[in-house]
Amino acid sequence: MYPHWDANLLIVGVTVLTVALVTLVHYEGLVLMSRWLYQRKEGERRRKVLYGIFGVLALHVVEIWIFGTSTWLLLMYPNTGTIAGAHPPHLFDAVYLSAVSFTTVGFGDLTPVGPIRFKVGTTALTGFVLIAWSASFTYLEMERFWRR
C-alpha cells in the first residue's frame, strides 16, 4: 500500500501525459515519414524501405528517451519510488529501464520499486502498441512501394 497520495497522483498524471505525448509524437512522425517517402523518386524502392525502417527506429528511440526522462524526473520527487540496482538512479539508468520496458524485454538488472512501477508497466504496454503500429506502417509502406 502506498500512503503518499500526492506521489501516486503525480505518477498517474505524468504517466497519462507521457503516453499522450509519445502517441502524438509517433502519429505525427509516421504521417511525416509517409508523406516524405511518397514524394521520393519512383526508382528508389529499396531505399524507401530502408528510410522507413530507420525512421521508425529513430521514432522509437525518441519515445524511449521521453519515457526515460519523465521517469527520471519523477524519481526526484519524494515517495515516488526508486530503481533497484541504481543508487542513485541517473538519467541513463531511467532511459535504459524505459528501453527494456518499452521493448517488452523486461527488467532484470534494474527494477522499479514503489509507485513508479505503474509508470514503468505502462511504458511496456505503450511500447508494445507502438511497435505493433510501426510494424503495420512498415508493412503497408513496403506493400505500396513494391506493388508499383
Side-chain angles (χ1 to χ4, degrees):
M1 185 73 185
Y2 303 118
H4 304 283
W5 285 101
D6 57 336
N8 296 336
L9 290 174
L10 179 64
I11 286 174
V12 170
V14 169
T15 299
V16 168
L17 290 174
T18 306
V19 168
L21 175 62
V22 165
T23 302
L24 184 64
V25 165
H26 199 77
Y27 174 79
E28 293 298 333
L30 292 181
V31 167
L32 289 172
M33 201 178 333
S34 182
R35 287 181 188 156
W36 185 78
L37 290 172
Y38 188 74
Q39 294 171 353
R40 304 288 300 168
K41 292 180 192 173
E42 182 63 34
E44 297 181 354
R45 284 189 226 167
R46 292 179 69 173
R47 272 192 248 154
K48 284 182 181 183
V49 172
L50 289 174
Y51 292 151
I53 294 295
F54 287 128
V56 165
L57 287 171
L59 272 176
H60 288 296
V61 169
V62 167
E63 294 155 6
I64 286 168
W65 271 88
I66 291 170
F67 270 115
T69 302
S70 64
T71 299
W72 182 68
L73 290 172
L74 275 173
L75 292 173
M76 302 298 158
Y77 190 83
N79 304 313
T80 56
T82 190
I83 299 174
H87 301 289
H90 296 285
L91 175 60
F92 288 119
D93 294 323
V95 171
Y96 170 76
L97 181 62
S98 292
V100 297
S101 300
F102 187 93
T103 59
T104 66
V105 171
F107 28 82
D109 55 337
L110 297 181
T111 308
V113 177
I116 198 73
R117 292 184 303 172
F118 174 76
K119 183 167 183 307
V120 174
T122 306
T123 300
L125 174 62
T126 307
F128 179 73
V129 169
L130 296 181
I131 290 169
W133 189 359
S134 295
S136 294
F137 170 81
T138 304
Y139 173 79
L140 293 172
E141 291 296 320
M142 286 173 37
E143 187 178 83
R144 182 171 70 167
F145 299 141
W146 286 345
R147 254 197 246 168
R148 291 183 185 172

